Structures are given as C-alpha cells and as structure tokens.
C-alpha cells in the first residue's frame, strides 16, 4: 500500500476544498438548527442558487465576476424570504417539509431540459471562474513542502475559502454572545415564551434563515470556483444531510463545531477510502472490488455516526449538561 | 412603612370594590382592561363568549371556573396568542384586538403560562435578561458591535439580579433553567415577566404543580405585585389561594362570565355553585321518586335476606 499517498491525501482533505465548502454550509445549518431550532432541510438550495447565480450571470449574461457574486448573494436572500414567509409562522416540522421540497424543486429546475439554454441542464455551467483566478496573487507553481503541495489555483481558493470560514465564525461568535443571539437561542427553547416577553419571533426567525442561508451560499461559490463548474446534482439532498452530519459531529450550537466537524468528516471519508482502496489493490481485502469501496466508506461513516450519538450525543464540542436537560 | 403601604394598597383595592354589584360585567371605577363581546369558536364548540368584563386597576382579580370553562382560551385571546372570532378589548384605553402577542407584551400586558415555559438551555440569568425591553443589542447590526449594547446589558443584569434576589433564585443564577424544580421555574417565569416592567400581569395557574412549601412564597410575591402598583389577573383552581389573595373574583363557566364578586362570598353565590356542581344538585326529590327509591332498596334487601337463609 502507498502510505505516503494515503496520508498526504488525508492531510490535504483536512484543509481541502470539500472541507471548506461543507464547513460553510454547516455553519449556516448551525445557525438555523443549532441556535434557532429551525429545521432547514434545504440548505443545498442556498448553495445552488448562489453557484448558479454566479455561473449564469457570468456565462449567459456576460457580466463581470463581482456582479455574479452579488446576484448569487441576492438569490440566497430571496430564497430565504420566499421560504420563510409561508412557513415561519407555522410549526417547525412544516419548515422541514417545505425546505426539502424547495431544494428539490431548485435542483430539478436547474437540470431541466426546458431551461437548458440558461442553466445548462444536467451538464451544468462552466467557464465563469476566470474573473476569480485573475485576482490570484500567487504566481504559477507548487506551494507547500514535502508531499503536501498545492497548485496556485487551489491555494488561492483555499485562502479565500478559509478567510470566509474565519469571517463567518467571527460573525457567529459575535452574534451569539449578543442579546440578538440570546433571542435566537430562546426561540429554539420555546417561541411562545419569547413572544410573551415582547420579541417579534417571526422577524428573528427570518433574520436567522437569511443569515444561515447567506453563509451557506458562500459554500456554493467556493465549490463553483474551485471546480470551475456547477452541476445540479452536486446540490442534492445528500449535501444537506452531510452538512447536518457535520453539525452534529462537531456539536450543535458551538462556533467551531461545524468547521472541526467538516474536517473530521472529510478526513475520515478520504482516509477510509485510501486505506480500503489500497487494501483491495494489494489483495489484502478480497471480498470486494475497488468500485465497492466508495459506497462502503459511507456505510462505515454511518456506523461511526451511530456510535457517536450513543457515546457522545453532544458532539465533539458540545456540553454534556445541555443534553442532560431535555425538558421538552 | 412597607406594611403600612401594603395595607393602603389592599384597602384601596377593596374600597374600589366595596359597593359593586355582583352581576357579570359590572363596571369598575378605574378599569385597566375592558372586554366586550369576545367570541372564540372551535368548529361547533363555543369556547369563549364573554359579553362584558372589566378589570380594576391596582387590584388582584381572580378568574375561576370549572375545567373547560374557557379561562385559558380567554387569556390567549387577550394576550394575542390566539385570534378571537369577534369582539373588542381595550388595555389602558388602547384597542388591543388583532394585536400580535409581542406587541401586547410591549404595551405592558405580560402573561405567564399554565405549563411553565422556562427556557431550559439558557441560564437563569439569561432567562431574566431576555425579559428586558428595548435592548439595543437585539438588533442584528448593533449586535455585531458589543460597545453599543454592553452598558445597557450591565443595567439589565443589575435589575435581573435584584429580582432574582427577591425571588430567592440568586444562588441559581448560572444554572440552566432546565435544572430548576417545578416551583422554582414558576418563580423564574414570574420574575422574568417582571423584567418586562408590565402594568398588568396575567398569571395562568401560578400554583399548578408547586409544592406546598413554595406556595406561601409564591403567594407573597403575587401580593407584592399589587404593592408595587401592578394589576394582577390570574387563573386558579385552588380556592384557598383565591380567598387568600384576591380582591375580586370573576367566575367563568362554559365560555361565559356568569358571576362576579368579592372572594369571601362568591362561593356561596347560587350561579357559581350551579356551575361547579350542576344545577338542581341540592333540589329536594319529589314524592314519587322517593317512593321508587325506597321500593328499590326494599327489593334489594329482601333478595339479600333470601340468599342468606338458603345457606
């Protein structure tokens, strides 16, 4: 087995593009679910409208990169408002149903034949990232040391991505220490009590939905820019569920929970994949072939998650005392 | 000094009620809350149908009635937690129908709940701070700049700690509200409602599920609210408590207000007894009923006697 490759891909995964964009999506989920108690099962739609907003603005309309970013952000805010107005006055489970359906509608519209000229059908859109890489301050070449090397494009995406993660965490930290965050956490516990204390619950839930959606949508930009393309099926429901897994893994309602959760999630996936593929190739494991390794690693991750919920339900950063209180 | 003013407030409240009629909807000298024709139907069931009722400012008014009388539903209408099908009500002369719950609270009419709503995963102190109004840091943009709200937060914390000390919860300030006992949660909920600085406090069954040791302290706190110039309207089943602390009692049955009166005499009011025990529960039996009952008893006795002799 090629241990150097396995270890280098694993270490790269810890800070890689996947970790970054899933961390952003999960930070959004953490605001919705962890702090406000909103069951948003349509986070992938926020990533999708941002990625496609950027892609379509640049490729189809021929407008500059920054306008594309603006369109993507605006699309995320609009999506939050449209989802929120009918559902936020209702019980939490309605939001879950509507958001998961809306995310599928968004994905199916993006891959539909009828809108192929605009969204590019199931092939998606490519060729919109030149404006981003034109800003790249790193000259051509390999960066890093030993076997930990990144090309200048990847490095640029990662630098921008981690800056965005840092800013998002700082915003979450500031907000959740503030009276505004206190209202959100109170809504998670009991929104009627918050109403009886003179707070406009609907408005706070809407602000939370918009904020989490906008931070999540940054993940859509990072994906689109890193791979220089967007495809509809990247933004399927499993993206949302991975993000939920990451939030629970890291510990809900913790500032760095989603970031560490995302790193651990991808490190595990890549490590298990590397070790299993290596073992299959070198004939140590004979009961499956290399194509079965991909699905099998998700099976192991699922098992790991079950064990986590049994032995550490509060996640990595969570507070055990909080889990112990379940008065509801 | 304190005791004197306490007597004054109680005396003032009692004086206001002195010569009032015992009819439902009787006008009060200085009403803080005036309700007219509030109706709430759930399908075919009319849960609330209150014609006219007034709540006297500065008094402790009890709202009693048998189970299912619509007391809590009525509370929900008044505080904006449920929409009435029709009717108007004014608080301090301001029309409040159709006003959402959070604006009702801001207007100075704050309620608690029958099932206590402590915010479990927030600390006791955070629960209290949440009750404060007009905190600048509750705005999204200002929340990002701690310098804007930090000073105000300090004042709010001082006020919260004062209240916690009064309610003897100061030792628990950093504990999660979810770890408190049922009675302590009731205390916390009441203290939190006071953080809003209300004029009218509406307590929905403040004694439900509270152990007897805490009852006295809770009663004291409710009386204290009046001494501080607040008006209290509360729903309660415990008649001892109603007699002990209320200045005036409003009785509801089947959605309507059926009687009002001072707590000392209200339970002997015929309409109230009928509502609780059913009409005619103490009416004498007619001659034929009596004869039939006697006959039934005789037959039963004879049957028993025969069985005994067979053995």
């Amino acid at each position: 087995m090629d241990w150097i490759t396995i270890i280098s891909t694993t270490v790269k995964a810890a800070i890689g593009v996947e970790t970054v964009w899933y961390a952003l999506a999960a930070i959004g989920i953490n605001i919705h679910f962890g702090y406000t108690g909103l069951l948003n099962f349509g986070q992938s739609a926020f990533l999708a409208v941002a990625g496609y907003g950027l892609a379509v603005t640049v490729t189809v309309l021929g407008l500059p990169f920054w306008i594309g970013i603006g369109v993507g952000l605006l699309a995320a805010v609009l999506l939050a408002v449209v989802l929120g107005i009918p559902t936020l006055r209702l019980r939490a489970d309605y939001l879950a149903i509507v958001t998961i359906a809306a995310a599928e509608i968004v994905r199916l519209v993006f891959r539909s034949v009828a809108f192929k000229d605009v969204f590019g059908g199931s092939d998606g859109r490519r060729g919109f990232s030149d404006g981003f890489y034109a800003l790249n301050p790193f000259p051509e070449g390999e960066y890093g040391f030993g076997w930990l090397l990144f090309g200048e494009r990847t490095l640029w995406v990662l630098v921008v991505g981690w800056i965005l993660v840092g800013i998002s965490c700082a915003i979450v930290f500031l907000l959740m220490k503030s009276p505004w965050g206190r209202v959100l956490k109170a809504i998670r516990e009991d929104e009627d009590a918050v109403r009886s204390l003179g707070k406009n619950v609907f408005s706070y839930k809407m602000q939370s939905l918009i904020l989490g959606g906008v931070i999540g949508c940054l993940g859509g930009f990072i994906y689109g820019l890193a791979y220089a393309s967007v495809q509809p099926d990247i933004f399927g429901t499993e993206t949302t569920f991975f993000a939920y897994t990451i939030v629970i893994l890291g510990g809900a309602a913790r500032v760095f929970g989603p970031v560490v959760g995302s790193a651990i999630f991808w490190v595990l996936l890549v490590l298990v994949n590397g070790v299993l593929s290596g073992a299959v190739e070198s004939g140590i494991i004979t009961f499956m072939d290399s194509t079965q390794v991909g699905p099998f690693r998700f099976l192991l991750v699922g098992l790991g998650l079950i064990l986590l919920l049994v032995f550490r339900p509060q996640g990595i950063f969570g507070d055990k005392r909080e889990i112990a209180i379940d008065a509801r | 000094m304190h005791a004197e003013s306490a007597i004054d407030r109680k005396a003032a409240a009692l004086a206001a009620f002195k010569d009032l009629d015992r009819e439902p909807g009787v006008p009060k000298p200085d009403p803080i809350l005036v309700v007219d024709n509030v109706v709430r139907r759930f399908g075919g069931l009319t849960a609330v149908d209150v014609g006219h009722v007034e709540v006297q400012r500065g008094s402790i008014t009890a709202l009693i009635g048998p189970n299912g009388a619509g007391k809590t539903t009525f509370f929900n209408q008044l505080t904006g937690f449920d929409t009435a099908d029709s009717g108007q009500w004014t608080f301090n002369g301001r029309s409040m129908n159709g006003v959402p719950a959070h604006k009702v609270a801001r207007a100075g009419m704050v309620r608690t709940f029958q099932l206590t709503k402590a915010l479990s995963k927030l600390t006791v102190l955070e629960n209290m701070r949440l009750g404060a109004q007009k905190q600048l840091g509750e705005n999204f943009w200002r929340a990002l700049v701690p310098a804007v709200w930090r000073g105000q937060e300090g004042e709010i914390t001082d006020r919260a700690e004062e209240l916690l000390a009064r309610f003897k919860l100061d030792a628990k300030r950093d504990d999660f509200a979810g770890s408190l006992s049922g009675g302590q949660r009731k205390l916390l909920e009441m203290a939190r409602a006071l953080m809003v600085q209300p004029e009218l406090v509406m307590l929905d069954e403040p004694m439900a599920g509270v152990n007897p040791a805490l009852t006295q302290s809770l009663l004291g706190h409710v009386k204290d609210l009046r001494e501080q110039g607040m008006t209290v309207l509360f729903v309660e089943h415990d008649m001892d408590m109603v007699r002990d602390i209320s200045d005036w009692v409003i009785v509801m049955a089947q959605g309507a207000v059926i009687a009002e009166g001072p707590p000392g005499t209200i339970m002997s009011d015929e309409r109230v007894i009928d509502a609780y025990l059913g009409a005619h529960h103490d009416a004498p039996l007619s001659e034929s009923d009596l004869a039939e009952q006697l006959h039934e008893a005789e037959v039963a006795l004879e049957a028993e006697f025969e069985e005994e002799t067979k053995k």
Side-chain angles (χ1 to χ4, degrees):
Chain A
M1 287 206 286
D2 183 0
W3 284 105
I4 299 273
T5 313
I6 291 173
I7 290 168
S8 74
T9 50
T10 305
V11 172
K12 278 181 180 173
I15 54 165
V17 170
E18 303 288 330
T19 300
V20 172
W21 74 273
Y22 270 98
L24 288 166
I27 291 171
I29 295 269
N30 196 28
I31 293 170
H32 294 152
F33 169 73
Y35 288 106
T36 325
L38 297 175
L39 277 175
N40 169 23
F41 281 135
Q43 187 71 342
S44 60
F46 287 99
L47 281 76
V49 294
Y52 270 90
L54 169 63
V56 170
T57 309
V58 174
T59 56
V60 181
L61 303 177
L63 293 169
F65 167 74
W66 286 111
I67 294 182
I69 295 286
V71 168
L73 289 172
L74 199 67
V77 172
L78 270 180
L79 180 67
V81 172
V82 168
L83 282 180
I85 284 174
T87 54
L88 289 181
R89 289 181 201 281
L90 302 172
R91 269 200 344 250
D93 19 2
Y94 291 100
L95 183 72
I97 296 165
V98 170
T99 47
I100 199 168
E104 279 299 274
I105 291 169
V106 166
R107 184 178 70 86
L108 292 172
V109 165
F110 284 154
R111 68 169 294 156
S112 67
V113 179
F115 294 112
K116 200 168 179 12
D117 326 338
V118 187
F119 301 123
S122 57
D123 297 335
R125 283 277 162 215
R126 53 179 62 251
F128 53 85
S129 56
D130 296 344
F132 176 72
Y133 290 109
L135 298 170
N136 190 350
F138 303 108
E140 219 171 294
E142 295 266 291
Y143 293 86
F145 51 86
W147 36 258
L148 189 66
L149 289 171
F150 292 106
E152 81 282 356
R153 282 167 71 95
T154 315
L155 185 66
W156 176 226
V157 172
L158 287 182
V159 166
V160 172
W162 280 105
I163 287 174
L164 288 178
V165 169
I167 292 173
S168 304
C169 284
I171 289 175
V172 171
F173 175 79
L174 278 176
L175 284 175
M176 296 311 160
K177 282 255 172 252
S178 79
W180 187 86
R182 180 165 67 217
V183 178
L184 285 202
K185 286 182 256 180
I187 289 172
R188 176 190 69 198
E189 298 303 310
D190 194 318
E191 57 179 76
D192 275 345
V194 180
R195 250 182 223 120
S196 79
L197 296 171
K199 320 288 172 200
N200 187 348
V201 169
F202 177 79
S203 160
Y204 280 100
K205 281 160 102 177
M206 186 60 98
Q207 292 172 39
S208 163
L209 194 63
I210 293 173
L211 177 68
V214 165
I215 289 181
C217 94
L218 301 176
F221 290 138
I222 293 296
Y223 175 85
L225 294 172
Y227 294 95
S229 72
V230 283
Q231 303 94 37
D233 294 331
I234 288 298
F235 306 115
T237 44
E238 71 270 18
T239 304
T240 305
F241 291 128
F242 283 175
Y244 264 93
T245 308
I246 286 166
V247 169
I248 294 165
L249 188 66
R254 287 291 176 275
V255 174
F256 291 109
V259 182
V260 175
S262 180
I264 292 174
F265 184 78
W266 286 105
V267 160
L268 282 180
L269 273 184
V270 169
L271 183 66
V272 169
N273 189 40
V275 171
L276 283 180
S277 313
V280 168
E281 269 162 36
S282 51
I284 299 168
I285 293 177
T286 48
F287 56 84
M288 60 180 172
D289 56 49
S290 52
T291 55
Q292 289 167 329
V293 167
F296 187 75
R297 64 188 175 144
F298 285 114
L299 199 149
L300 285 182
V301 168
L303 184 69
L305 200 69
I306 292 169
L307 292 176
L308 179 83
L309 287 179
V310 170
F311 293 108
R312 202 174 165 81
Q314 72 270 36
I316 289 162
F317 283 116
D319 184 338
K320 191 144 201 176
R321 292 189 305 156
E322 284 192 13
I323 297 290
I325 298 166
D326 223 345
R328 281 183 291 172
Chain B
M1 180 66 203
H2 185 76
E4 243 171 65
S5 79
I7 291 163
D8 288 349
R9 297 268 190 187
K10 185 163 175 70
L14 289 177
F17 290 119
K18 196 167 165 255
D19 296 318
L20 287 188
D21 216 354
R22 306 293 161 82
E23 290 311 302
V26 59
K28 312 282 178 345
D30 180 17
I32 190 169
L33 182 69
V34 181
V35 183
D36 277 301
N37 303 316
V38 169
V39 177
R40 176 67 168 127
R41 292 193 186 85
F42 298 110
L45 176 81
T46 305
V48 171
D49 184 0
V50 171
H52 181 85
V53 78
E54 298 182 359
V55 174
Q56 169 70 14
R57 190 187 308 277
S59 71
I60 299 180
T61 304
L63 181 62
I64 65 169
N67 287 323
K71 304 179 296 286
T72 297
T73 314
F74 186 49
F75 251 49
N76 287 345
Q77 314 296 324
L78 297 183
T79 47
F81 278 83
D82 190 10
T83 26
D85 293 322
S86 65
Q88 304 90 44
W89 59 98
T90 60
F91 172 70
N92 270 336
R94 188 179 148 193
S95 175
M96 297 301 271
N97 40 323
V99 175
H102 66 273
K103 289 194 179 152
V104 173
R106 283 180 201 168
M109 190 168 154
V110 174
R111 71 170 298 182
T112 65
F113 296 87
Q114 187 174 355
L115 299 169
T116 330
K117 293 185 185 297
L119 304 161
S120 308
K121 288 178 197 168
L122 266 58
T123 64
V124 168
L125 191 60
E126 289 280 272
N127 263 273
M128 294 295 288
R129 283 172 175 158
L130 188 74
Q133 298 299 297
K134 301 200 175 109
Q135 161 61 283
L136 293 173
E138 284 176 5
N139 171 288
F140 178 84
W141 300 108
R142 283 195 288 252
L144 289 167
V145 191
V148 175
W149 47 264
R150 196 152 278 157
Q152 202 187 357
E153 187 83 343
E155 288 164 28
I156 289 169
T157 308
D158 290 345
R159 201 150 62 78
E161 278 174 343
E162 233 170 79
L163 273 170
L164 284 178
R166 217 168 85 202
F167 281 77
K168 298 204 170 56
L169 287 170
D170 40 349
K172 299 270 181 190
R173 66 192 287 268
D174 296 319
D175 291 4
F176 284 124
S179 69
L180 299 181
S181 74
Q184 287 170 328
R185 284 183 209 194
K186 287 268 179 202
L187 284 173
L188 174 61
E189 203 183 15
M190 200 184 291
R192 193 177 64 193
L194 296 187
M195 283 297 288
V196 186
Q197 294 179 316
E199 281 182 68
L200 173 62
V201 185
M202 300 177 67
L203 308 169
D204 196 350
E205 299 205 18
M207 293 299 156
V210 176
N211 80 49
L214 265 179
T215 313
Q216 278 311 315
S217 120
L218 254 171
L219 282 178
H221 288 305
V222 176
K223 285 183 193 164
D224 219 31
L225 299 181
R226 179 185 55 201
E227 306 329 323
Q228 291 166 17
M230 282 174 254
T231 309
V232 180
L233 176 65
F234 71 100
V235 169
E236 189 50 66
H237 278 299
D238 182 346
M239 282 312 297
D240 286 336
M241 172 186 174
V242 171
R243 248 193 301 273
D244 186 359
I245 65 168
S246 61
D247 306 319
W248 190 253
V249 179
I250 298 171
V251 188
M252 277 182 85
Q254 294 175 335
V257 173
I258 55 159
E260 296 190 33
T265 57
I266 191 75
M267 284 318 279
S268 48
D269 187 303
E270 197 136 315
R271 292 163 298 190
V272 179
I273 297 170
D274 285 355
Y276 272 91
L277 301 174
H280 314 304
H281 68 96
D282 54 352
L285 296 164
S286 68
E287 287 282 302
S288 59
D289 283 345
L290 207 61
E292 199 177 317
Q293 274 190 6
L294 266 172
H295 180 69
E296 271 172 27
E298 267 171 20
V299 171
L301 267 173
E302 265 168 31
E304 210 174 294
F305 181 72
E306 265 171 40
E307 229 167 88
E308 291 271 311
T309 48
K310 266 181 201 167
K311 282 177 192 169

